Amino acid sequence: MPVIARCRPWPVMRFDVAIAFLFLSLCTFMPCFAAETIERPSKWIGRVAASDAAFGWPGSGFALHFEGTSLSATLVDTGKNSLEVELDGVPQRLDLQAGQHRYQLADGLRQGAHEIRATRRTEGWIGDTIFVSAETDGSFLPAEIPATKLVAIGDSITAGYGLEGVGPGCKFSPGTENQYLTYAAVAARSLGMELTTLAVSGIGLSRTGKNAKTMLDVIDSVTPLRKGVPALPDERVSAVVVNLGTNDFSDNRNPSDFIEEYVKLIFRLRNQFPKAYLYAALGPMMSQKDFDVAEKAIEAVVQASAAKGETRLRYLNLRVKPKDFGCDWHPSRSTNAAMATLLEQAIRADWGPHD
């Protein structure tokens, strides 16, 4: 990581040799107004491309631990994404501009240690975001490595599609999407767990019907727009929630390959996360009729996996009754909060508190 130290220059004045030496000594031994620049953050959040520091999955991003009073970051974006920037735990939205720009993420802070977490509110098809560098007037600190992780796998519900919309009649826009307020993100913060979200709107597990790609096709991608390689086992992942089936079973569909493909997914997740509890979730969208058919299929997946020796797989019903809706009938903020409670209760029942 290149470090650039800068001292504020003294005014150009005419001094004799003795006075000039005195001021040179002061600049040498007194604290300088230093700046430290890094090309990689203190910690990545979620899945990020190692080659060029691009992140595209919803909820992916970076954390910066530093000691100082200000911090800026240089990012490259399509101009349609937005980040949730938490400064010492206080979140604020940041809309990104097209191209490469420098963003002042903190300024005028008290001197001391601070943390910034910046994660994508928006999902991958809108375009990747690239981390270029970050600079503080102080110094960067080592990252804190989380003890436990939660992985959330799903479709538009898990991505936060239309979560901040004004009602079911509004259409999708990047401005109404917010992964930060999804059930998985809320539950992870309450449990004190790091979160990795792998979610794509419209995706499912069935290859029948109109579905071109399934979650099995993209789950190993570095970003939703880039192909990847199978992920390595990660023993720090203690829970994985899979919320798929809505796009497979809606509109009276009952795909014949869903159970088989879901069992394949469970097998792959078990290899990647050997110690994790897996939660096969469903809800809250879909008609009651479609939900009943999908629920029966997912319960069959749990039974088939158990027959093969799987002991840490649970079915999780997330069909909460909504008080209101986001865009296109998607779960609102309040519905996601209710879903988060159910997920948190399930994880605590198996693992206990993580905070």
Side-chain angles (χ1 to χ4, degrees), residues 231-248:
L232 297 174
D234 190 343
E235 294 192 353
R236 287 187 298 155
V237 175
S238 58
V240 180
V241 57
V242 180
N243 191 355
L244 292 170
T246 299
N247 294 304
D248 299 285

Side-chain angles (χ1 to χ4, degrees), residues 168 284 320-326 329-338:
V320 300
K321 186 176 181 180
K323 296 180 181 179
D324 50 14
F325 296 93
W329 300 97
H330 279 73
S332 64
R333 177 173 182 168
S334 63
T335 303
N336 271 279

Side-chain angles (χ1 to χ4, degrees), residues 4 13 128 147 165-166 185 200 209 217 237 273 287 331 336:
I4 304 173
M13 299 179 64
D128 291 342
V166 295
V200 179
D217 295 324
V237 175
F273 313 120
S287 69
N336 271 279

Side-chain angles (χ1 to χ4, degrees), residues 187-199:
R189 287 193 295 275
S190 180
L191 290 163
M193 303 172 73
E194 194 71 75
L195 175 65
T196 294
T197 298
L198 306 173

Side-chain angles (χ1 to χ4, degrees), residues 27-155:
C27 189
T28 302
F29 295 107
M30 291 181 65
C32 291
F33 294 87
E36 185 175 346
T37 299
I38 56 173
E39 295 178 352
R40 289 294 184 269
S42 304
K43 178 177 65 179
W44 290 119
I45 299 172
R47 189 176 292 177
V48 179
S51 58
D52 63 352
F55 52 101
W57 289 103
S60 61
F62 56 89
L64 295 163
H65 297 252
F66 68 102
E67 187 166 9
T69 65
S70 65
L71 181 142
S72 62
T74 300
L75 307 172
V76 177
D77 193 75
T78 63
K80 296 182 179 180
N81 287 298
S82 59
L83 305 179
E84 196 74 20
V85 179
E86 297 173 87
L87 172 57
D88 295 333
V90 179
Q92 185 172 354
R93 175 176 173 165
L94 173 64
D95 293 322
L96 302 180
Q97 303 174 52
Q100 178 170 314
H101 295 275
R102 180 177 176 180
Y103 301 90
Q104 193 71 37
L105 303 184
D107 198 18
L109 304 178
R110 59 169 178 78
Q111 181 66 42
H114 301 279
E115 180 187 40
I116 283 180
R117 291 171 55 90
T119 53
R120 286 175 60 110
R121 294 164 52 105
T122 43
E123 61 182 293
W125 63 265
I126 299 172
D128 291 342
T129 304
I130 298 175
F131 181 96
V132 178
S133 63
E135 183 177 77
T136 177
D137 63 345
S139 59
F140 287 95
L141 303 174
E144 298 179 3
I145 304 300
T148 57
K149 289 183 178 181
L150 169 65
V151 176
I153 299 169
D155 49 33

